[in-house]
Amino acid sequence: MIINKTNNIPVKFDLYLSIISKKMKKGIEDKIKNSNANKYEIKIVENKGRDVLPIIIQMKFKIKSYKYFCHIHTKKSKHDTFLGSNWRNYLLENLLGNKGITSEILMEFEKYDKLGFIFPETYYDIIKGIDNYDSTEFPLHKPNIKYMNFILEKLFPGFSTGNKLIFPTGNMFWAKI
């Protein structure tokens, strides 16, 4: 499904995938044959740091050679028992849902020089979960809002997000280098 979604990118692109086992690699290589990717690379990484570690450590030098990149992942985690596939589908649809969406994202980057990230609004069930905060379902989000505002106030005096999340919850986004 995810590889098919990348076919909505209206320009030539390269595809970098991080996976956790050799067994997964064969199945993914078969699926990539249906991709519009210019080239692809599959890297086996330790299952550590969820989706963030591979992009920060394994992909950081590759990313620097591109004007834009899109970070997506399967969003499958033992830590995500509450939201299931609905959140993943929401994020993918808003980032790669069709060629119109991806074209508009790339045009926005071209139009606004200082625009660095584009990501979907926070998924409704995340907001609902924070409003009805239960530490077993959302152990990190509510305390992070307070901490995030503290940091933002230090960096940008007078700026606050209030109770809103302004980061790409789910760690899926487009970025301009």
Side-chain angles (χ1 to χ4, degrees):
M1 176 177 124
I2 289 178
I3 291 172
N4 290 340
K5 287 289 185 192
T6 65
N7 288 335
N8 289 325
I9 299 171
V11 296
K12 291 187 181 280
F13 65 94
D14 298 335
L15 190 57
Y16 296 94
L17 297 104
S18 60
I19 59 171
I20 59 170
S21 71
K22 288 181 182 177
K23 184 179 177 183
M24 293 173 75
K25 188 172 183 176
K26 175 67 176 133
I28 289 174
E29 284 179 323
D30 290 340
K31 291 176 184 174
I32 287 180
K33 291 175 186 169
N34 297 321
S35 169
N36 293 338
N38 210 25
K39 68 177 183 175
Y40 72 91
E41 181 180 314
I42 301 173
K43 189 165 189 151
I44 299 169
V45 299
E46 188 178 351
N47 189 13
K48 188 166 122 178
R50 300 186 193 175
D51 61 288
V52 178
L53 189 65
I55 195 168
I56 292 172
I57 304 300
Q58 284 89 4
M59 305 293 180
K60 70 179 175 183
F61 295 112
K62 296 195 183 311
I63 289 170
K64 289 180 180 182
S65 65
Y66 295 92
K67 190 172 183 179
Y68 315 110
F69 74 93
C70 181
H71 179 249
I72 55 175
H73 56 96
T74 62
K75 195 87 196 103
K76 292 181 181 175
S77 169
K78 62 183 175 185
H79 305 285
D80 181 17
T81 57
F82 176 70
L83 297 170
S85 63
N86 292 337
W87 189 11
R88 174 181 57 248
N89 293 338
Y90 169 80
L91 293 168
L92 289 172
E93 283 303 312
N94 281 278
L95 294 169
L96 296 167
N98 59 54
K99 287 187 180 185
I101 290 170
T102 54
S103 294
E104 187 174 336
I105 289 169
L106 296 175
M107 286 188 306
E108 290 297 305
F109 280 134
E110 289 296 316
K111 187 175 176 182
Y112 299 103
D113 196 42
K114 293 184 179 185
L115 181 61
F117 283 93
I118 294 178
F119 50 88
E121 289 187 33
T122 302
Y123 185 56
Y124 174 76
D125 284 343
I126 295 289
I127 296 168
K128 187 172 75 176
I130 290 170
D131 290 343
N132 303 312
Y133 182 64
D134 175 351
S135 63
T136 61
E137 291 177 328
F138 298 94
L140 300 175
H141 290 92
K142 199 162 196 164
N144 282 348
I145 294 172
K146 185 176 180 180
Y147 183 65
M148 179 178 61
N149 281 320
F150 172 77
I151 291 171
L152 287 169
E153 175 64 31
K154 293 288 183 192
L155 294 172
F156 309 103
F159 184 83
S160 172
T161 65
N163 289 325
K164 303 286 184 204
L165 299 171
I166 61 160
F167 62 94
T169 56
N171 292 325
M172 291 197 217
F173 54 86
W174 279 88
K176 180 167 54 175
I177 305 301

